[in-house]
């Protein structure tokens, strides 16, 4: 039987109660505040009434739990080895978010096999009706895992700072995703901007280069202004949204969450493995 027909029949027999928006967050280089942005955007989404799942996809070197001062008992390694189910592995985070933690210092998970990717996708499918937004915190760079999680997401957001190395590496990440996987749409978040004008200028540089040399679309979702409260929060292993509500950074995260939420979700089913793929078929049946 044709594979598309099989998938559509499966989707009709198992309708999803609500769609889950899947957003991967990546960066060309480390140290740009990617994970910090993921955590604070997640809290901003929960304050908008959304149910949020965070997937720490830096599988061998995860630090999302460390950033939040959590000590989860289980992680994705336990899930993939069949030692625990996904409900047992999920950890509680601030603001009601749920976290699927990665392991740290486990080299075997730094490059998932095809079977492990399929198993992870199958486990996540069981959560399809329980969350409105899933944010995937990928590792930095262009490893196989990073590329896989970006392609498995519905939308890709790249975090960049005004540093030249960050800008060139963000461009390189988009270039690789285009050439290896045909990805042509990206969102851009500028972190640690000294002012809003600088944020727009960073976006303009990347967007012009991407349009001229790659013919791809880059959408600006906003910037997070430099704020000393962010570093204070990191030192205390808390989100700045928790410790310093009303700070400059918090206002930026709230604006960006609102910008993303109000924009229509990407609706196309990609060619490869995609998390919560069934909802895309539901939409088009």
């Amino acid at each position: 039987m044709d594979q598309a027909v099989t998938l559509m029949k499966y989707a009709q027999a198992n309708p999803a109660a609500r769609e889950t928006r899947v957003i991967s967050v990546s960066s060309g280089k480390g140290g740009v505040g990617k994970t910090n942005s993921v955590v604070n955007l997640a809290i901003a989404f929960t304050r908008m009434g959304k149910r949020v799942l965070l997937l720490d996809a830096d599988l061998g070197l995860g630090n999302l739990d460390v950033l939040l001062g959590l000590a989860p008992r289980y992680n994705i390694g336990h899930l993939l080895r069949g030692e625990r189910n996904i409900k047992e592995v999920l950890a509680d985070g601030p603001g009601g978010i749920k976290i699927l933690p990665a392991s740290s210092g486990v080299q075997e998970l730094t490059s998932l096999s095809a079977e492990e990717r399929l198993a992870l996708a199958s486990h996540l499918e069981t959560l399809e009706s329980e969350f409105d937004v899933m944010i995937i915190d990928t590792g930095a760079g262009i490893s196989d895992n990073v590329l896989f999680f970006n392609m498995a997401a519905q939308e890709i957001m790249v975090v960049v700072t005004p540093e030249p190395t960050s800008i060139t590496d963000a461009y390189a990440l988009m270039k690789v995703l285009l050439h290896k996987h045909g990805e042509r749409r990206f969102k851009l978040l500028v972190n640690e901007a000294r002012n809003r004008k600088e944020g727009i200028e960073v976006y303009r540089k990347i967007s012009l280069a991407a349009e001229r040399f790659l013919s791809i679309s880059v959408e600006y979702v906003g910037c997070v202004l430099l704020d000393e409260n962010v570093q204070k929060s990191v030192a205390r292993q808390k989100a700045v949204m928790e410790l310093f509500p009303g700070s400059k950074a918090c206002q930026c995260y709230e604006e960006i969450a609102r910008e993303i939420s109000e924009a229509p979700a990407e609706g196309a089913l990609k060619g490869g493995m995609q998390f919560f793929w069934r909802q895309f078929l539901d939409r088009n049946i």
Side-chain angles (χ1 to χ4, degrees):
M1 182 180 293
D2 181 81
Q3 186 179 21
V5 174
T6 303
L7 291 174
M8 281 196 288
K9 287 189 174 181
Y10 180 79
Q12 288 171 321
N14 300 274
R18 297 173 64 173
E19 291 189 2
T20 304
R21 196 162 177 172
V22 184
I23 305 169
S24 64
V25 182
S26 285
S27 61
K29 69 185 287 291
V32 301
K34 172 179 56 63
T35 299
N36 213 10
S37 296
V38 165
V39 167
N40 287 291
L41 281 176
I43 295 175
F45 278 126
T46 64
R47 293 180 181 176
M48 297 168 65
K50 297 188 181 300
R51 305 165 300 170
V52 181
L53 170 64
L54 292 189
L55 167 57
D56 190 346
D58 195 357
L59 298 186
L61 297 167
N63 57 14
L64 201 155
D65 53 337
V66 176
L67 190 65
L68 292 172
L70 303 176
R73 188 172 182 181
Y74 305 114
N75 57 55
I76 288 178
H78 294 95
L79 180 67
L80 294 178
R81 291 192 296 271
E83 297 170 359
R84 289 289 181 272
N85 65 48
I86 196 164
K87 293 289 182 67
E88 294 173 314
V89 175
L90 288 181
D92 294 321
I97 60 177
K98 291 288 186 179
I99 299 169
L100 187 52
S103 58
S104 184
V106 180
Q107 187 177 10
E108 291 78 9
L109 291 177
T110 57
S111 183
L112 292 179
S113 67
E115 291 77 15
E116 289 170 326
R117 293 174 180 180
L118 183 59
L120 178 58
S122 297
H123 287 299
L124 288 170
E125 287 291 334
T126 66
L127 302 176
E128 184 173 6
S129 63
E130 299 187 23
F131 295 98
D132 301 304
V133 182
M134 181 170 86
I135 305 178
I136 306 172
D137 181 21
T138 79
I142 53 174
S143 70
D144 287 345
N145 270 0
V146 171
L147 300 182
F148 161 67
F149 282 109
N150 274 306
M151 293 311 301
Q154 188 179 353
E155 301 166 55
I156 300 172
M157 183 162 71
V158 177
V159 178
V160 64
T161 70
E163 294 179 14
T165 53
S166 175
I167 293 173
T168 55
D169 289 352
Y171 176 84
L173 171 63
M174 290 187 278
K175 182 178 178 180
V176 171
L177 282 166
L178 168 67
H179 289 165
K180 291 194 71 171
H181 298 287
E183 190 60 52
R184 309 190 72 87
R185 297 178 65 85
F186 300 89
K187 300 182 187 302
L188 190 77
L189 185 157
V190 179
N191 195 32
E192 300 180 354
R194 287 175 295 183
N195 50 56
R196 294 181 186 276
K197 183 178 178 181
E198 184 177 51
I200 292 173
E201 181 60 20
V202 171
Y203 162 72
R204 191 187 66 81
K205 289 178 181 176
I206 293 178
S207 180
L208 285 176
E211 185 176 344
R212 179 177 180 184
F213 299 110
L214 304 178
S215 298
I216 61 176
S217 168
V218 180
E219 175 190 352
Y220 184 53
V221 296
C223 70
V224 178
L225 298 174
L226 269 176
D227 186 338
E228 62 180 7
N229 292 313
V230 173
Q231 288 307 315
K232 290 179 182 176
S233 301
V234 171
R236 293 170 60 180
Q237 293 182 280
K238 298 285 185 182
V240 70
M241 291 285 291
E242 286 186 291
L243 288 183
F244 301 102
S247 63
K248 288 188 298 184
C250 287
Q251 292 173 22
C252 293
Y253 285 123
E254 289 169 348
E255 290 171 6
I256 293 168
R258 195 178 310 118
E259 173 77 18
I260 294 171
S261 185
E262 291 177 353
E266 301 290 337
L269 184 62
K270 299 177 182 178
M273 184 186 298
Q274 193 167 354
F275 295 140
F276 304 128
W277 54 270
R278 196 173 57 210
Q279 63 190 15
F280 297 98
L281 291 181
D282 291 340
R283 188 182 301 158
N284 293 290
I285 289 174

